[in-house]
PDB file of all heavy atoms in Angstrom:
ATOM      1  N   TRP A 128      -4.895  -7.776  25.750  1.00  0.00           N
ATOM      2  CA  TRP A 128      -6.135  -8.497  26.147  1.00  0.00           C
ATOM      3  C   TRP A 128      -7.340  -7.667  25.921  1.00  0.00           C
ATOM      4  O   TRP A 128      -8.364  -8.210  25.428  1.00  0.00           O
ATOM      5  CB  TRP A 128      -6.028  -8.937  27.623  1.00  0.00           C
ATOM      6  CG  TRP A 128      -7.041  -9.972  28.047  1.00  0.00           C
ATOM      7  CD1 TRP A 128      -6.920 -11.279  28.097  1.00  0.00           C
ATOM      8  CD2 TRP A 128      -8.413  -9.670  28.418  1.00  0.00           C
ATOM      9  NE1 TRP A 128      -8.106 -11.873  28.500  1.00  0.00           N
ATOM     10  CE2 TRP A 128      -9.032 -10.874  28.713  1.00  0.00           C
ATOM     11  CE3 TRP A 128      -9.143  -8.465  28.538  1.00  0.00           C
ATOM     12  CZ2 TRP A 128     -10.373 -11.016  29.107  1.00  0.00           C
ATOM     13  CZ3 TRP A 128     -10.494  -8.579  28.975  1.00  0.00           C
ATOM     14  CH2 TRP A 128     -11.078  -9.780  29.244  1.00  0.00           C
ATOM     15  N   LEU A 129      -7.311  -6.420  26.235  1.00  0.00           N
ATOM     16  CA  LEU A 129      -8.475  -5.547  26.063  1.00  0.00           C
ATOM     17  C   LEU A 129      -8.860  -5.489  24.590  1.00  0.00           C
ATOM     18  O   LEU A 129     -10.046  -5.597  24.233  1.00  0.00           O
ATOM     19  CB  LEU A 129      -8.167  -4.118  26.560  1.00  0.00           C
ATOM     20  CG  LEU A 129      -7.913  -3.981  28.037  1.00  0.00           C
ATOM     21  CD1 LEU A 129      -7.573  -2.522  28.352  1.00  0.00           C
ATOM     22  CD2 LEU A 129      -9.088  -4.422  28.853  1.00  0.00           C
ATOM     23  N   TRP A 130      -7.871  -5.415  23.706  1.00  0.00           N
ATOM     24  CA  TRP A 130      -8.211  -5.327  22.258  1.00  0.00           C
ATOM     25  C   TRP A 130      -8.774  -6.632  21.714  1.00  0.00           C
ATOM     26  O   TRP A 130      -9.717  -6.682  20.952  1.00  0.00           O
ATOM     27  CB  TRP A 130      -6.967  -4.892  21.492  1.00  0.00           C
ATOM     28  CG  TRP A 130      -7.254  -4.711  20.038  1.00  0.00           C
ATOM     29  CD1 TRP A 130      -6.850  -5.491  19.001  1.00  0.00           C
ATOM     30  CD2 TRP A 130      -8.016  -3.679  19.446  1.00  0.00           C
ATOM     31  NE1 TRP A 130      -7.324  -5.002  17.827  1.00  0.00           N
ATOM     32  CE2 TRP A 130      -8.053  -3.881  18.054  1.00  0.00           C
ATOM     33  CE3 TRP A 130      -8.734  -2.551  20.003  1.00  0.00           C
ATOM     34  CZ2 TRP A 130      -8.733  -3.066  17.185  1.00  0.00           C
ATOM     35  CZ3 TRP A 130      -9.390  -1.734  19.103  1.00  0.00           C
ATOM     36  CH2 TRP A 130      -9.367  -1.998  17.753  1.00  0.00           C
ATOM     37  N   ARG A 131      -8.174  -7.767  22.157  1.00  0.00           N
ATOM     38  CA  ARG A 131      -8.584  -9.039  21.598  1.00  0.00           C
ATOM     39  C   ARG A 131      -9.971  -9.420  22.113  1.00  0.00           C
ATOM     40  O   ARG A 131     -10.672 -10.205  21.478  1.00  0.00           O
ATOM     41  CB  ARG A 131      -7.587 -10.130  22.018  1.00  0.00           C
ATOM     42  CG  ARG A 131      -6.333 -10.130  21.180  1.00  0.00           C
ATOM     43  CD  ARG A 131      -5.342 -11.214  21.630  1.00  0.00           C
ATOM     44  NE  ARG A 131      -5.991 -12.527  21.654  1.00  0.00           N
ATOM     45  CZ  ARG A 131      -6.138 -13.304  20.543  1.00  0.00           C
ATOM     46  NH1 ARG A 131      -5.703 -12.846  19.386  1.00  0.00           N
ATOM     47  NH2 ARG A 131      -6.693 -14.471  20.638  1.00  0.00           N
ATOM     48  N   HIS A 132     -10.382  -8.929  23.250  1.00  0.00           N
ATOM     49  CA  HIS A 132     -11.677  -9.356  23.837  1.00  0.00           C
ATOM     50  C   HIS A 132     -12.695  -8.241  23.857  1.00  0.00           C
ATOM     51  O   HIS A 132     -13.634  -8.269  24.647  1.00  0.00           O
ATOM     52  CB  HIS A 132     -11.419  -9.888  25.242  1.00  0.00           C
ATOM     53  CG  HIS A 132     -10.556 -11.048  25.333  1.00  0.00           C
ATOM     54  ND1 HIS A 132      -9.164 -10.983  25.376  1.00  0.00           N
ATOM     55  CD2 HIS A 132     -10.842 -12.394  25.324  1.00  0.00           C
ATOM     56  CE1 HIS A 132      -8.635 -12.205  25.431  1.00  0.00           C
ATOM     57  NE2 HIS A 132      -9.614 -13.044  25.400  1.00  0.00           N
ATOM     58  N   ARG A 133     -12.557  -7.262  22.958  1.00  0.00           N
ATOM     59  CA  ARG A 133     -13.524  -6.198  22.847  1.00  0.00           C
ATOM     60  C   ARG A 133     -14.840  -6.716  22.238  1.00  0.00           C
ATOM     61  O   ARG A 133     -14.826  -7.810  21.578  1.00  0.00           O
ATOM     62  CB  ARG A 133     -12.999  -5.076  21.996  1.00  0.00           C
ATOM     63  CG  ARG A 133     -12.882  -5.467  20.537  1.00  0.00           C
ATOM     64  CD  ARG A 133     -11.953  -4.555  19.756  1.00  0.00           C
ATOM     65  NE  ARG A 133     -11.894  -4.919  18.378  1.00  0.00           N
ATOM     66  CZ  ARG A 133     -11.207  -5.938  17.892  1.00  0.00           C
ATOM     67  NH1 ARG A 133     -10.463  -6.692  18.679  1.00  0.00           N
ATOM     68  NH2 ARG A 133     -11.213  -6.192  16.568  1.00  0.00           N
ATOM     69  N   ALA A 134     -15.891  -6.015  22.415  1.00  0.00           N
ATOM     70  CA  ALA A 134     -17.166  -6.346  21.769  1.00  0.00           C
ATOM     71  C   ALA A 134     -17.027  -6.021  20.299  1.00  0.00           C
ATOM     72  O   ALA A 134     -16.633  -4.921  19.887  1.00  0.00           O
ATOM     73  CB  ALA A 134     -18.301  -5.567  22.396  1.00  0.00           C
ATOM     74  N   HIS A 135     -17.432  -6.962  19.419  1.00  0.00           N
ATOM     75  CA  HIS A 135     -17.269  -6.763  17.986  1.00  0.00           C
ATOM     76  C   HIS A 135     -18.307  -7.590  17.246  1.00  0.00           C
ATOM     77  O   HIS A 135     -18.307  -8.805  17.305  1.00  0.00           O
ATOM     78  CB  HIS A 135     -15.865  -7.168  17.517  1.00  0.00           C
ATOM     79  CG  HIS A 135     -15.653  -6.992  16.053  1.00  0.00           C
ATOM     80  ND1 HIS A 135     -15.598  -5.709  15.481  1.00  0.00           N
ATOM     81  CD2 HIS A 135     -15.485  -7.882  15.075  1.00  0.00           C
ATOM     82  CE1 HIS A 135     -15.351  -5.859  14.167  1.00  0.00           C
ATOM     83  NE2 HIS A 135     -15.283  -7.149  13.877  1.00  0.00           N
ATOM     84  N   HIS A 136     -19.239  -6.862  16.548  1.00  0.00           N
ATOM     85  CA  HIS A 136     -20.325  -7.554  15.799  1.00  0.00           C
ATOM     86  C   HIS A 136     -21.072  -8.531  16.741  1.00  0.00           C
ATOM     87  O   HIS A 136     -21.544  -8.147  17.785  1.00  0.00           O
ATOM     88  CB  HIS A 136     -19.748  -8.254  14.566  1.00  0.00           C
ATOM     89  CG  HIS A 136     -19.179  -7.293  13.568  1.00  0.00           C
ATOM     90  ND1 HIS A 136     -19.886  -6.196  13.048  1.00  0.00           N
ATOM     91  CD2 HIS A 136     -17.942  -7.216  13.014  1.00  0.00           C
ATOM     92  CE1 HIS A 136     -19.153  -5.566  12.223  1.00  0.00           C
ATOM     93  NE2 HIS A 136     -17.941  -6.127  12.181  1.00  0.00           N
ATOM     94  N   ASP A 137     -21.058  -9.819  16.383  1.00  0.00           N
ATOM     95  CA  ASP A 137     -21.841 -10.811  17.153  1.00  0.00           C
ATOM     96  C   ASP A 137     -20.941 -11.575  18.152  1.00  0.00           C
ATOM     97  O   ASP A 137     -21.380 -12.507  18.763  1.00  0.00           O
ATOM     98  CB  ASP A 137     -22.512 -11.835  16.193  1.00  0.00           C
ATOM     99  CG  ASP A 137     -23.541 -11.152  15.348  1.00  0.00           C
ATOM    100  OD1 ASP A 137     -24.142 -10.193  15.803  1.00  0.00           O
ATOM    101  OD2 ASP A 137     -23.753 -11.646  14.195  1.00  0.00           O
ATOM    102  N   ALA A 138     -19.712 -11.145  18.307  1.00  0.00           N
ATOM    103  CA  ALA A 138     -18.769 -11.833  19.183  1.00  0.00           C
ATOM    104  C   ALA A 138     -19.134 -11.534  20.615  1.00  0.00           C
ATOM    105  O   ALA A 138     -19.572 -10.449  20.993  1.00  0.00           O
ATOM    106  CB  ALA A 138     -17.330 -11.430  18.926  1.00  0.00           C
ATOM    107  N   VAL A 139     -18.933 -12.548  21.494  1.00  0.00           N
ATOM    108  CA  VAL A 139     -19.205 -12.370  22.957  1.00  0.00           C
ATOM    109  C   VAL A 139     -17.990 -11.598  23.528  1.00  0.00           C
ATOM    110  O   VAL A 139     -16.841 -12.070  23.376  1.00  0.00           O
ATOM    111  CB  VAL A 139     -19.334 -13.759  23.616  1.00  0.00           C
ATOM    112  CG1 VAL A 139     -19.488 -13.569  25.136  1.00  0.00           C
ATOM    113  CG2 VAL A 139     -20.528 -14.494  23.054  1.00  0.00           C
ATOM    114  N   PRO A 140     -18.222 -10.488  24.132  1.00  0.00           N
ATOM    115  CA  PRO A 140     -17.117  -9.710  24.705  1.00  0.00           C
ATOM    116  C   PRO A 140     -16.510 -10.381  25.956  1.00  0.00           C
ATOM    117  O   PRO A 140     -17.113 -11.300  26.527  1.00  0.00           O
ATOM    118  CB  PRO A 140     -17.780  -8.378  25.079  1.00  0.00           C
ATOM    119  CG  PRO A 140     -19.175  -8.722  25.383  1.00  0.00           C
ATOM    120  CD  PRO A 140     -19.532  -9.822  24.395  1.00  0.00           C
ATOM    121  N   GLY A 141     -15.316  -9.974  26.290  1.00  0.00           N
ATOM    122  CA  GLY A 141     -14.698 -10.502  27.494  1.00  0.00           C
ATOM    123  C   GLY A 141     -15.226  -9.894  28.726  1.00  0.00           C
ATOM    124  O   GLY A 141     -15.953  -8.874  28.747  1.00  0.00           O
ATOM    125  N   ILE A 142     -14.838 -10.442  29.875  1.00  0.00           N
ATOM    126  CA  ILE A 142     -15.202  -9.918  31.179  1.00  0.00           C
ATOM    127  C   ILE A 142     -13.919  -9.818  32.050  1.00  0.00           C
ATOM    128  O   ILE A 142     -13.113 -10.744  32.100  1.00  0.00           O
ATOM    129  CB  ILE A 142     -16.238 -10.819  31.841  1.00  0.00           C
ATOM    130  CG1 ILE A 142     -17.595 -10.679  31.158  1.00  0.00           C
ATOM    131  CG2 ILE A 142     -16.403 -10.484  33.333  1.00  0.00           C
ATOM    132  CD1 ILE A 142     -18.690 -11.506  31.815  1.00  0.00           C
ATOM    133  N   ILE A 143     -13.785  -8.698  32.679  1.00  0.00           N
ATOM    134  CA  ILE A 143     -12.686  -8.481  33.608  1.00  0.00           C
ATOM    135  C   ILE A 143     -13.253  -8.629  35.036  1.00  0.00           C
ATOM    136  O   ILE A 143     -14.216  -7.975  35.392  1.00  0.00           O
ATOM    137  CB  ILE A 143     -12.074  -7.093  33.439  1.00  0.00           C
ATOM    138  CG1 ILE A 143     -11.532  -6.899  32.035  1.00  0.00           C
ATOM    139  CG2 ILE A 143     -10.976  -6.826  34.488  1.00  0.00           C
ATOM    140  CD1 ILE A 143     -11.075  -5.508  31.723  1.00  0.00           C
ATOM    141  N   HIS A 144     -12.607  -9.463  35.836  1.00  0.00           N
ATOM    142  CA  HIS A 144     -13.081  -9.757  37.185  1.00  0.00           C
ATOM    143  C   HIS A 144     -11.988  -9.321  38.167  1.00  0.00           C
ATOM    144  O   HIS A 144     -10.939  -9.957  38.261  1.00  0.00           O
ATOM    145  CB  HIS A 144     -13.411 -11.241  37.357  1.00  0.00           C
ATOM    146  CG  HIS A 144     -14.170 -11.536  38.598  1.00  0.00           C
ATOM    147  ND1 HIS A 144     -15.059 -12.608  38.665  1.00  0.00           N
ATOM    148  CD2 HIS A 144     -14.186 -10.976  39.828  1.00  0.00           C
ATOM    149  CE1 HIS A 144     -15.634 -12.650  39.875  1.00  0.00           C
ATOM    150  NE2 HIS A 144     -15.047 -11.646  40.585  1.00  0.00           N
ATOM    151  N   PHE A 145     -12.231  -8.203  38.883  1.00  0.00           N
ATOM    152  CA  PHE A 145     -11.294  -7.767  39.902  1.00  0.00           C
ATOM    153  C   PHE A 145     -11.597  -8.465  41.198  1.00  0.00           C
ATOM    154  O   PHE A 145     -12.696  -8.504  41.727  1.00  0.00           O
ATOM    155  CB  PHE A 145     -11.442  -6.262  40.129  1.00  0.00           C
ATOM    156  CG  PHE A 145     -10.945  -5.408  38.997  1.00  0.00           C
ATOM    157  CD1 PHE A 145     -11.846  -4.936  38.026  1.00  0.00           C
ATOM    158  CD2 PHE A 145      -9.624  -5.144  38.849  1.00  0.00           C
ATOM    159  CE1 PHE A 145     -11.411  -4.173  36.967  1.00  0.00           C
ATOM    160  CE2 PHE A 145      -9.175  -4.350  37.815  1.00  0.00           C
ATOM    161  CZ  PHE A 145     -10.062  -3.895  36.869  1.00  0.00           C
ATOM    162  N   TYR A 146     -10.519  -9.089  41.778  1.00  0.00           N
ATOM    163  CA  TYR A 146     -10.624  -9.846  43.023  1.00  0.00           C
ATOM    164  C   TYR A 146      -9.789  -9.172  44.099  1.00  0.00           C
ATOM    165  O   TYR A 146      -8.578  -9.045  43.939  1.00  0.00           O
ATOM    166  CB  TYR A 146     -10.186 -11.281  42.813  1.00  0.00           C
ATOM    167  CG  TYR A 146     -10.714 -12.272  43.810  1.00  0.00           C
ATOM    168  CD1 TYR A 146     -11.968 -12.833  43.652  1.00  0.00           C
ATOM    169  CD2 TYR A 146      -9.994 -12.591  44.957  1.00  0.00           C
ATOM    170  CE1 TYR A 146     -12.506 -13.741  44.580  1.00  0.00           C
ATOM    171  CE2 TYR A 146     -10.539 -13.479  45.855  1.00  0.00           C
ATOM    172  CZ  TYR A 146     -11.750 -14.061  45.670  1.00  0.00           C
ATOM    173  OH  TYR A 146     -12.260 -14.958  46.615  1.00  0.00           O
ATOM    174  N   ARG A 147     -10.394  -8.697  45.132  1.00  0.00           N
ATOM    175  CA  ARG A 147      -9.741  -7.987  46.234  1.00  0.00           C
ATOM    176  C   ARG A 147      -8.924  -6.796  45.701  1.00  0.00           C
ATOM    177  O   ARG A 147      -7.701  -6.682  45.911  1.00  0.00           O
ATOM    178  CB  ARG A 147      -8.813  -8.891  47.034  1.00  0.00           C
ATOM    179  CG  ARG A 147      -9.494 -10.023  47.742  1.00  0.00           C
ATOM    180  CD  ARG A 147      -8.504 -10.861  48.535  1.00  0.00           C
ATOM    181  NE  ARG A 147      -8.121 -10.159  49.751  1.00  0.00           N
ATOM    182  CZ  ARG A 147      -6.830 -10.071  50.159  1.00  0.00           C
ATOM    183  NH1 ARG A 147      -5.903 -10.576  49.456  1.00  0.00           N
ATOM    184  NH2 ARG A 147      -6.563  -9.442  51.278  1.00  0.00           N
ATOM    185  N   PRO A 148      -9.536  -5.854  45.022  1.00  0.00           N
ATOM    186  CA  PRO A 148      -8.804  -4.727  44.458  1.00  0.00           C
ATOM    187  C   PRO A 148      -8.105  -3.862  45.535  1.00  0.00           C
ATOM    188  O   PRO A 148      -7.135  -3.183  45.212  1.00  0.00           O
ATOM    189  CB  PRO A 148      -9.862  -3.959  43.677  1.00  0.00           C
ATOM    190  CG  PRO A 148     -11.164  -4.338  44.301  1.00  0.00           C
ATOM    191  CD  PRO A 148     -11.015  -5.755  44.715  1.00  0.00           C
ATOM    192  N   GLY A 149      -8.602  -3.839  46.730  1.00  0.00           N
ATOM    193  CA  GLY A 149      -7.963  -3.051  47.759  1.00  0.00           C
ATOM    194  C   GLY A 149      -6.605  -3.531  48.139  1.00  0.00           C
ATOM    195  O   GLY A 149      -5.797  -2.808  48.759  1.00  0.00           O
ATOM    196  N   ALA A 150      -6.278  -4.803  47.757  1.00  0.00           N
ATOM    197  CA  ALA A 150      -4.978  -5.340  48.116  1.00  0.00           C
ATOM    198  C   ALA A 150      -3.955  -5.150  47.056  1.00  0.00           C
ATOM    199  O   ALA A 150      -2.796  -5.599  47.166  1.00  0.00           O
ATOM    200  CB  ALA A 150      -5.127  -6.874  48.410  1.00  0.00           C
ATOM    201  N   PHE A 151      -4.280  -4.522  45.908  1.00  0.00           N
ATOM    202  CA  PHE A 151      -3.336  -4.334  44.819  1.00  0.00           C
ATOM    203  C   PHE A 151      -2.136  -3.512  45.247  1.00  0.00           C
ATOM    204  O   PHE A 151      -2.354  -2.402  45.797  1.00  0.00           O
ATOM    205  CB  PHE A 151      -4.040  -3.621  43.625  1.00  0.00           C
ATOM    206  CG  PHE A 151      -5.057  -4.502  42.894  1.00  0.00           C
ATOM    207  CD1 PHE A 151      -5.796  -3.944  41.857  1.00  0.00           C
ATOM    208  CD2 PHE A 151      -5.270  -5.791  43.285  1.00  0.00           C
ATOM    209  CE1 PHE A 151      -6.746  -4.720  41.243  1.00  0.00           C
ATOM    210  CE2 PHE A 151      -6.201  -6.597  42.623  1.00  0.00           C
ATOM    211  CZ  PHE A 151      -6.934  -6.022  41.614  1.00  0.00           C
ATOM    212  N   PRO A 152      -0.951  -4.011  44.998  1.00  0.00           N
ATOM    213  CA  PRO A 152       0.287  -3.267  45.397  1.00  0.00           C
ATOM    214  C   PRO A 152       0.659  -2.211  44.375  1.00  0.00           C
ATOM    215  O   PRO A 152       1.605  -2.353  43.640  1.00  0.00           O
ATOM    216  CB  PRO A 152       1.323  -4.391  45.498  1.00  0.00           C
ATOM    217  CG  PRO A 152       0.894  -5.382  44.447  1.00  0.00           C
ATOM    218  CD  PRO A 152      -0.634  -5.321  44.432  1.00  0.00           C
ATOM    219  N   LEU A 153      -0.060  -1.113  44.361  1.00  0.00           N
ATOM    220  CA  LEU A 153       0.135  -0.105  43.346  1.00  0.00           C
ATOM    221  C   LEU A 153       0.456   1.231  43.968  1.00  0.00           C
ATOM    222  O   LEU A 153      -0.028   1.539  45.084  1.00  0.00           O
ATOM    223  CB  LEU A 153      -1.098   0.068  42.471  1.00  0.00           C
ATOM    224  CG  LEU A 153      -1.617  -1.205  41.717  1.00  0.00           C
ATOM    225  CD1 LEU A 153      -2.934  -0.908  41.023  1.00  0.00           C
ATOM    226  CD2 LEU A 153      -0.562  -1.721  40.779  1.00  0.00           C
TER     227      LEU A 153
END
Side-chain angles (χ1 to χ4, degrees):
W128 191 96
L129 296 178
W130 183 250
R131 284 179 55 82
H132 297 86
R133 69 199 183 281
H135 180 69
H136 295 305
D137 296 329
V139 176
I142 288 181
I143 300 171
H144 193 148
F145 289 98
Y146 202 85
R147 297 182 74 226
F151 290 176
L153 303 175

